Amino acid sequence: MKNNFIKTLTSKITFWGTVAAVIVAAGLYSTFLRFTQGLGGVTNLNDAFPWGLWIGFDILCGVGLAAGGFTICAVTHIFNIEKFKPLTRPAILTAFLGYVMVIFALMYDLGRPWAIWHAIIMWNTHSVMFEVAWCVMLYTSVLFLEFSPILLERFRMKKTLRVIRMALIPIMILGILLSTLHQSSLGSLYLIVPNKMHPLWWSMFLPVFFFLSAVSVGFAMVIFESYLSAKAFNHGLKLPLLSQIAGVMSVVLIVNLAAKFIDMAYSGDLPYLLVKGPETYLFYLEMLIGTLIPVAILSVKKYRSDNKWLYVAAVMTVGGFVLNRMNVSVTSLEASSSVAYFPGIYEISITLMLVVLGMLAFRFIVQHFPVFEAHKELPEIIVDAKAFHETELSMQHK
């Protein structure tokens, strides 16, 4: 009997499960050090460079990568395009978990995390951080309400579900408004340091650029999440819908790039593109992987209708977005601070732990709640590009 128990236990141990367990264990140890030794004991931050990985990646990237929720809700409920509704639930779940992880990350970065509730009663209406704090609190609550039908369906709470569904459209509209406000407000945080940020990234239109990039990466995250979850949970990949979303994403990427260069031309910052240095190289890399390559892929109909190429374009867009946020929060400020910053091992381990916990939570919820079961009545869930093309040809012959 003992041998059977050991065999059962070892059969459940996988390589990636072991990696996840190690990352979480290291993150918990780093958490202990963070709250016993303070920020100085676990980070490479200092008075000259107070914001690092936890702000640049965990907060700025975390909020942006959760933008799939408000972009898909805007498509389905503001523009009333019903066919995209099958993508709504997974996108809302990803956004909700993303914001929960952002809140946890903020608790690590705050010097006095126990005072985080002060923004609720101590109003400073002139502060951008105050507006961001309230938008994040309210939007996380809205995301929970948007996610609640999944819970109510699972536990068969029909009366409560009926009430929530009646209020769901106004709730989603409020969520879109709140998300729009704070996606742009995160860019506003850096408007007060024009003399410290590198000219390649500082602009009076930084809030606009933050919003446009959030919209594009929101669509990219929908494609990214749909592709991986289709493989992991063995449900159909909605290729025609994702192909159309990719087309919209490429348009937003082009608009964002054009707006950026028009602004640089107007402000006289184009000569900085010819200055040799790490900032210039990282700016070119950001444009290349985050805009030019994805747009080139998606401009070809053959690739836009291929699930693997869609995934590549989405991954490149997400990578370029992350690089942009890290460039804004770290690269652009290093020269003026006279400090070379690179995150410490404890900073990295906590960030990795939050990412892994978010992925594990997504997997658990998908396995136990009807995230992909809604809208089953919709026909034509196509698994790969070949089937997609065959369907198109058959329809044309008819």
Side-chain angles (χ1 to χ4, degrees):
M1 187 173 180
K2 184 178 179 181
N3 291 334
N4 291 334
F5 174 76
I6 294 175
K7 288 181 179 179
T8 304
L9 184 64
T10 53
S11 65
K12 293 183 178 180
I13 298 175
T14 63
F15 172 77
W16 290 114
T18 304
V19 171
V22 171
I23 290 174
V24 172
L28 291 175
Y29 176 69
S30 300
T31 299
F32 171 76
L33 295 180
R34 157 66 184 93
F35 290 105
T36 56
Q37 299 183 16
L39 290 171
V42 296
T43 72
N44 289 337
L45 303 173
N46 50 57
D47 291 340
F49 209 97
W51 283 3
L53 178 68
W54 290 344
I55 294 295
F57 183 84
D58 296 14
I59 308 299
L60 299 187
C61 291
V63 168
L65 294 176
F70 94 90
T71 53
I72 289 299
C73 285
V75 168
T76 56
H77 295 288
I78 298 298
F79 299 103
N80 199 31
I81 306 177
E82 295 283 331
K83 63 183 178 181
F84 289 102
K85 279 192 174 180
L87 304 175
T88 304
R89 284 190 171 191
I92 289 175
L93 173 59
T94 303
F96 176 63
L97 292 176
Y99 272 83
V100 171
M101 293 301 106
V102 164
I103 293 171
F104 274 107
L106 190 59
M107 299 293 285
Y108 283 95
D109 191 76
L110 291 176
R112 296 187 298 167
W114 54 87
I116 193 172
W117 60 274
H118 284 186
I120 299 175
I121 61 172
M122 300 178 183
W123 287 32
N124 181 2
T125 55
H126 299 289
S127 170
V128 176
M129 286 188 177
F130 171 78
E131 188 267 345
V132 171
W134 265 95
C135 280
V136 169
M137 286 189 292
L138 292 173
Y139 187 52
T140 304
S141 303
V142 167
L143 282 171
F144 176 76
L145 292 175
E146 293 177 354
F147 174 70
S148 62
I150 301 175
L151 301 176
L152 298 175
E153 286 178 13
R154 174 64 175 80
F155 296 110
R156 303 182 185 279
M157 301 173 66
K158 295 182 180 179
K159 291 184 179 180
T160 309
L161 178 61
R162 194 178 300 114
V163 173
I164 290 292
R165 281 179 173 168
M166 289 174 60
L168 206 54
I169 299 301
I171 288 172
M172 287 187 173
I173 293 174
L174 177 61
I176 294 166
L177 177 62
L178 290 170
S179 188
T180 299
L181 286 172
H182 79 264
Q183 290 287 356
S184 58
S185 294
L186 289 174
S188 301
L189 290 173
Y190 292 89
L191 291 179
I192 61 174
V193 288
N195 298 322
K196 292 185 177 181
M197 283 185 67
H198 195 280
L200 287 175
W201 288 282
W202 189 89
S203 168
M204 282 296 296
F205 296 99
L206 202 55
V208 177
F209 299 145
F210 262 56
F211 174 73
L212 289 174
S213 60
V215 172
S216 61
V217 83
F219 289 126
M221 282 300 295
V222 170
I223 297 171
F224 179 81
E225 171 270 320
S226 297
Y227 182 87
L228 292 183
S229 60
K231 285 188 170 295
F233 306 111
N234 196 30
H235 69 83
L237 183 67
K238 304 160 186 68
L239 185 59
L241 301 182
L242 297 180
S243 180
Q244 293 178 52
I245 284 177
V248 177
M249 181 183 80
S250 64
V251 171
V252 179
L253 287 172
I254 293 171
V255 170
N256 191 30
L257 181 66
K260 176 66 178 176
F261 277 92
I262 290 172
D263 175 64
M264 292 177 67
Y266 180 78
S267 60
D269 292 332
L270 285 178
Y272 286 99
L273 294 173
L274 303 177
V275 178
K276 293 182 179 180
E279 292 86 0
T280 308
Y281 303 145
L282 285 171
F283 180 83
Y284 282 134
L285 183 62
E286 173 191 321
M287 295 295 108
L288 182 64
I289 68 172
T291 301
L292 298 179
I293 294 179
V295 169
I297 292 174
L298 298 176
S299 63
V300 181
K301 185 178 180 181
K302 175 185 175 182
Y303 297 150
R304 197 167 61 248
S305 302
D306 187 300
N307 52 16
K308 292 182 179 179
W309 280 109
L310 277 180
Y311 178 69
V312 170
V315 170
M316 298 292 283
T317 303
V318 170
F321 174 84
V322 171
L323 183 56
N324 169 260
R325 294 301 192 258
M326 295 304 297
N327 280 338
V328 168
S329 60
V330 177
T331 306
S332 68
L333 295 168
E334 277 188 319
S336 63
S337 65
S338 301
V339 173
Y341 166 79
F342 191 83
I345 185 64
Y346 299 122
E347 292 177 78
I348 295 173
S349 67
I350 288 173
T351 295
L352 289 176
M353 178 188 70
L354 292 175
V355 173
V356 168
L357 289 177
M359 295 172 66
L360 292 175
F362 185 92
R363 178 184 178 184
F364 175 83
I365 293 172
V366 167
Q367 288 177 337
H368 295 88
F369 294 90
V371 175
F372 296 108
E373 292 180 12
H375 313 292
K376 271 187 175 180
E377 69 278 3
L378 288 179
E380 198 178 2
I381 294 181
I382 299 172
V383 177
D384 55 29
K386 183 178 179 181
F388 181 39
H389 289 305
E390 289 176 354
T391 304
E392 278 191 329
L393 289 172
S394 62
M395 290 178 67
Q396 289 174 4
H397 287 307
K398 289 180 181 180

